[in-house]
């Protein structure tokens, strides 16, 4: 059987609402024309209470694909609470974005109630094509602390005689080692032939209990992370050959660039950013003529006038607004003047002067060179000599300098 795996469409995602809709349509329509069945591991919608026009976008597409000629059909549904209202082999679970506190009802479940797909939350759905059986156990997205408890309670088991898929929507520690709360691969239920996970927005193929774990990634750009630069799309998995094929859709081009500076004046930062934008524009193309999304991460140190860099970059973003969707991150850019002076004050070795006097003198001299008056020096000195984290102190110091500029 050929199973399409499409995930995280995020209908109603505000930043790129039209992309979310058109790219979901392309993925769902193409996937339905290529596969016998389709599984969707969560986050069809971006919000738990989508606006009616967003619900309409999804309902229109799912109505269309539910009328396709599918190679397989649903032959059994086992669950303590849910029900299947169609035999159309489009099987989905709610993701973390759709989860509601009020019982089972959520926007994904509405598509199930309308008979446009089968909501497989905490259910085993079996589909058939000829003699072949595929069973999908679904576990909707849960907060991390509930996953283990839920898995222990449900104890999902493979169905004898079927090709068994465990479909879920969680972060996995081995793939995203950011929190100890994330479940480990070994905690996934054993005995399934294939594991399919949503939630993670870039595509990945890993291994769980010696079997494939497939993450198709989202169909729309959301997090602007470096690993979202690949084309978006979906997988077609062949249960007989145990192989998967990635099918790219026409997703909007995204380019993420990291630029490092060492004591650069604002004009240099602006100039290099502008060249980078022009290069990104000339190297990217979109069939639908949409401007690419370009993210510039600016790191390192700027010469005096950090505020001036921000102003120039804002102007740059405005100039290119019609050609590119720009996201500029300057949070990793530092001003060396502040950092150096701070080291002098906090770690300086005293000669005939006390550390405080020495620091103060160096500091006032340096600030004067940079065009700040003596009053700023004493105020800034007070901020820099206070107890607290380096980050917090630097922020306060920057704020003061911006006010006095
Ligand atoms: Mn998602």
């Amino acid at each position: 059987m050929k199973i399409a795996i499409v995930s995280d469409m995020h209908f109603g995602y505000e930043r790129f609402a039209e992309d979310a809709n058109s790219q979901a349509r392309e993925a769902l329509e193409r996937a339905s024309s290529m596969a016998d069945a389709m599984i969707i591991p969560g986050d069809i919608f971006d919000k738990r209470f989508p606006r009616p026009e967003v619900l309409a976008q999804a309902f229109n597409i799912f109505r269309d694909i539910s009328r396709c000629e599918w190679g397989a059909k649903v032959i059994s549904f086992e669950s303590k609470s849910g029900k299947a209202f169609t035999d159309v082999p489009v099987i989905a679970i709610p993701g973390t974005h759709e989860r509601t506190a009020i019982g089972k009802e959520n926007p994904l479940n509405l598509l199930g109630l309308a008979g446009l797909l089968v909501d497989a939350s905490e259910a085993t759905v079996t589909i058939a094509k000829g003699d072949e059986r595929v069973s999908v156990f679904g576990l909707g997205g849960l907060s991390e602390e509930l996953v283990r408890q839920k898995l222990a309670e449900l104890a999902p088991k493979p169905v004898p005689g079927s090709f068994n898929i465990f479909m879920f929507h969680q972060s996995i520690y081995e793939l995203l080692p950011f929190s100890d709360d994330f479940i480990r691969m070994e905690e996934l239920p054993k005995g399934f032939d294939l594991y399919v996970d949503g939630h993670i927005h870039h595509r990945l193929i890993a291994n769980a209990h010696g079997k494939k774990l497939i993450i198709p990634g989202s169909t729309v750009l959301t997090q602007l992370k470096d690993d979202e630069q690949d084309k978006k799309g979906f997988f077609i998995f062949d249960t007989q050959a145990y192989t998967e094929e990635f099918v790219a859709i026409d997703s909007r081009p995204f380019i993420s660039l990291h630029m490092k500076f060492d004591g650069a004046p604002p004009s240099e930062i602006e100039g290099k950013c502008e060249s980078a934008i022009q290069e990104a524009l000339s190297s990217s193309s979109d069939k639908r003529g949409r401007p690419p999304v370009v993210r510039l991460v600016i790191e390192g140190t700027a010469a005096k006038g950090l505020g001036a860099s921000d102003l120039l970059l804002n102007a740059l973003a405005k100039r290119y607004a019609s050609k590119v969707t720009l996201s500029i991150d300057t949070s990793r850019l530092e001003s060396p003047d502040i950092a150096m002076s701070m080291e002098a004050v906090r770690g300086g070795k005293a000669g005939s002067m006390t550390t405080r006097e020495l620091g103060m003198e160096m500091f006032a001299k340096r600030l004067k060179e940079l065009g700040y008056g003596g009053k700023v020096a004493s105020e800034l000195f007070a901020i820099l000599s206070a107890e607290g984290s380096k980050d917090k102190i630097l922020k306060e110091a920057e704020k003061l300098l911006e006010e006095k500029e």
Side-chain angles (χ1 to χ4, degrees):
M1 221 184 276
K2 287 198 172 167
I3 315 253
I5 310 170
V6 191
S7 192
D8 291 76
M9 287 138 262
H10 287 266
F11 278 99
Y13 178 65
E14 276 166 23
R15 185 169 192 183
F16 301 117
E18 194 33 52
D19 287 2
N21 182 32
S22 61
Q23 293 176 189
R25 179 175 274 279
E26 185 191 343
L28 291 165
E29 286 181 350
R30 284 178 63 193
S32 60
S33 73
M34 297 171 78
D36 299 308
M38 183 189 291
I39 60 176
I40 304 172
D43 283 0
I44 289 181
F45 294 99
D46 190 62
K47 303 218 161 50
R48 45 188 61 74
F49 303 115
R51 287 176 290 114
E53 54 268 41
V54 172
L55 285 168
Q57 290 175 342
F59 273 70
N60 273 319
I61 298 169
F62 280 97
R63 184 200 54 239
D64 290 350
I65 66 166
S66 74
R67 291 175 184 169
C68 290
E69 277 197 32
W70 290 93
K73 66 175 188 179
V74 175
I75 57 162
S76 92
F77 183 91
E78 284 169 52
S79 156
K80 275 191 191 132
S81 51
K83 224 176 150 185
F85 297 95
T86 178
D87 63 3
V88 170
V90 176
I91 301 167
I93 50 170
T96 35
H97 280 252
E98 290 142 332
R99 190 181 54 221
T100 52
I102 42 166
K104 246 183 95 65
E105 311 311 344
N106 59 59
L108 178 279
N109 180 242
L110 295 183
L111 286 165
L113 293 174
L116 302 183
L117 52 72
V118 175
D119 177 1
S121 315
E122 303 180 20
T124 299
V125 185
T126 299
I127 55 178
K129 182 193 178 192
D131 292 337
E132 192 187 355
R133 302 279 181 273
V134 171
S135 296
V136 182
F137 183 93
L139 179 70
L142 290 167
S143 58
E144 310 300 343
E145 67 275 13
L146 287 176
V147 185
R148 290 176 181 87
Q149 184 193 326
K150 204 64 181 170
L151 280 175
E153 184 190 310
L154 295 167
K157 295 264 181 324
V159 175
S162 269
F163 181 92
N164 286 281
I165 302 174
F166 180 75
M167 174 161 74
F168 63 115
H169 186 98
Q170 298 297 142
S171 294
I172 301 173
Y173 183 79
E174 285 87 344
L175 304 176
L176 294 170
F178 302 133
S179 163
D180 268 346
D181 292 340
F182 294 169
I183 53 163
R184 309 297 209 260
M185 296 281 196
E186 61 180 30
E187 294 177 280
L188 295 171
K190 288 188 179 130
F192 288 80
D193 300 297
L194 177 69
Y195 296 82
V196 171
D197 188 18
H199 196 54
I200 296 171
H201 281 193
H202 58 277
R203 72 174 185 273
L204 273 169
I205 296 182
N207 187 299
H209 301 305
K211 302 291 180 182
K212 279 182 182 169
L213 184 150
I214 295 183
I215 299 172
S218 60
T219 55
V220 63
L221 177 68
T222 57
Q223 296 158 334
L224 307 195
K225 285 185 182 165
D226 291 353
D227 44 23
E228 272 196 291
Q229 293 178 92
D230 286 344
K231 274 276 172 204
K232 300 288 187 184
F234 57 90
F235 281 105
I236 301 287
F237 186 85
D238 184 328
T239 56
Q240 299 285 329
Y242 205 72
T243 53
E244 70 289 326
E245 176 201 350
F246 178 73
V247 182
I249 57 169
D250 285 330
S251 50
R252 187 196 292 258
F254 168 53
I255 300 150
S256 177
L257 299 165
H258 289 252
M259 315 189 55
K260 274 217 158 86
F261 293 97
D262 184 10
S267 57
E268 184 190 329
I269 296 180
E270 188 208 17
K272 292 213 166 131
C273 286
E274 182 156 18
S275 319
I277 293 166
Q278 284 170 347
E279 207 182 307
L281 276 172
S282 65
S283 70
S284 84
S285 72
D286 179 49
K287 277 187 195 160
R288 301 183 209 166
R290 296 168 296 186
V293 179
V294 176
R295 174 173 178 251
L296 299 175
V297 183
I298 301 170
E299 298 168 13
T301 54
K304 184 203 173 276
L306 202 57
S309 305
D310 277 339
L311 285 178
L312 287 175
L313 292 174
N314 282 341
L316 183 68
K318 280 206 184 98
R319 273 208 304 287
Y320 281 87
S322 63
K323 292 184 188 153
V324 60
T325 300
L326 205 56
S327 162
I328 303 179
D329 178 0
T330 55
S331 66
R332 284 174 243 182
L333 190 66
E334 282 184 24
S335 171
D337 312 320
I338 298 172
M340 266 170 48
S341 308
M342 183 168 153
E343 286 313 309
V345 173
R346 290 169 75 86
K349 292 180 194 80
S352 59
M353 287 171 155
T354 64
T355 312
R356 193 179 170 82
E357 283 166 348
L358 178 73
M360 187 67 195
E361 193 191 80
M362 284 168 61
F363 196 56
K365 198 173 144 221
R366 194 85 178 94
L367 277 170
K368 208 176 162 195
E369 284 167 20
L370 295 169
Y372 293 102
K375 195 157 173 284
V376 179
S378 58
E379 279 176 48
L380 193 56
F381 192 85
I383 291 174
L384 293 174
S385 6
E387 291 291 318
S389 75
K390 187 176 169 180
D391 280 351
K392 187 174 160 247
I393 286 173
L394 274 177
K395 271 209 188 86
E396 281 178 27
E398 271 175 22
K399 206 175 129 209
L400 175 80
L401 288 177
E402 266 164 31
E403 282 166 9
K404 303 283 175 184
E405 220 162 24

